[in-house]
């Protein structure tokens, strides 16, 4: 299988090449590239079947490279050292990824999956990924939320979920264990966050779907958030919730 490695760090490129040589003998690395522009040239030249693509790079990042080549039929494995949201977006887009430092066993598993996807166009998956990332940009807007003491400035993408507390709402942030009360009703919070990746799964809960780890079936079911918190889904909201997840 012809492969190209794209990573702006020489050490990361060398390590991945060695791991492939030692664990994936069917992979032939045709080129290694240290930026997105070089990657586009190499893709045009070698017509790879598999692309190992770093996310964070100067100039064109990994997402922009994929957007520019989304009509290609090669399989893609993203490599990244961080960015929780990017990983969530990739996962929801049904594309594969490896976290650095790359583990040999995980690499072999990712390559096996890539082999099964070989020749399949990635257009739809890329479109989903780009939509998720654009949503992330919208989420980065700072919100001024009223509290009993005044205003609390919050970035929407930092909110895990909101829980109704009568006339006020408890807001849970990923950066702190305890919530803080906002002097807005749940309905008002829903209106503030309606154009972002939030969904009201229950009269008492509004969740950031970007931080949903899994959904467990049931009468209404429940969501397991990335911090382990369990959030119930009401029977009335279940169908709309599942439709929203399918679109993601």
């Amino acid at each position: 299988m012809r492969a190209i490695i794209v990573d702006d760090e020489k050490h990361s490129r060398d390590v991945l090449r060695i791991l492939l040589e030692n664990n994936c003998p069917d992979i032939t690395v045709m080129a290694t590239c240290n930026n997105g522009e070089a990657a586009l040239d190499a893709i045009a030249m070698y017509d790879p079947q598999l692309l190992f693509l770093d996310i964070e790079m100067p100039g064109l990042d990994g997402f922009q490279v994929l957007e520019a080549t989304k009509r290609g039929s090669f399989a893609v494995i993203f490599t990244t050292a961080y960015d929780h949201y990017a990983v969530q977006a990739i996962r929801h887009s049904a594309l594969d990824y490896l976290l650095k430092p790359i583990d040999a066993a995980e690499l072999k598993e990712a390559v096996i999956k890539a082999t099964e996807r070989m020749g399949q166009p990635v257009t739809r998956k890329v479109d989903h990924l780009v939509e998720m990332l654009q949503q992330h940009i919208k989420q980065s807007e700072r919100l001024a939320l009223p509290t009993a003491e005044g205003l609390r400035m919050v970035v929407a993408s930092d909110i895990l979920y909101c829980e109704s507390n009568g006339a006020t709402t408890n807001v849970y942030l990923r950066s702190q264990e305890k919530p803080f009360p906002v002097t807005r009703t749940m309905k008002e919070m829903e209106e503030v966050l309606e154009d972002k990746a939030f969904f009201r799964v229950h009269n008492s809960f509004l969740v950031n779907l970007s931080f949903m780890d899994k959904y467990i079936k049931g009468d209404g079911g429940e969501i397991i958030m990335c911090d382990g918190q369990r959030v119930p889904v009401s029977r009335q909201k279940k169908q709309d919730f599942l439709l929203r997840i399918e679109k993601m």
Side-chain angles (χ1 to χ4, degrees), residues 1-5 16-17 19-30 49-52 77 107-108 110-112 114-115 118:
M1 186 188 301
R2 299 183 306 278
I4 292 175
I5 298 172
L16 181 52
R17 180 192 279 273
L19 284 172
L20 288 169
E21 290 175 353
N22 293 338
N23 297 277
C24 305
D26 294 335
I27 300 292
T28 300
V29 178
M30 306 300 296
Q49 296 161 294
L50 176 60
L51 189 65
F52 291 94
I77 299 176
L107 173 62
K108 288 191 286 187
V111 168
I112 291 172
T115 302
M118 193 186 304

Side-chain angles (χ1 to χ4, degrees), residues 183-197:
T183 54
R184 274 182 173 165
T185 65
M186 179 62 79
K187 179 175 176 56
E188 290 172 327
M189 287 299 297
E190 185 179 14
E191 291 172 353
V192 169
L193 298 169
E194 65 181 354
D195 63 336
K196 299 171 176 63

Side-chain angles (χ1 to χ4, degrees), residues 4 18 70 89 92 109 111 148 151 154 156 186 194 209 224 246:
I4 292 175
I18 292 171
K70 66 181 182 180
H92 281 299
E109 183 180 351
V111 168
L151 293 174
V154 174
M186 179 62 79
E194 65 181 354
L209 298 178
I224 309 298
E246 286 179 7

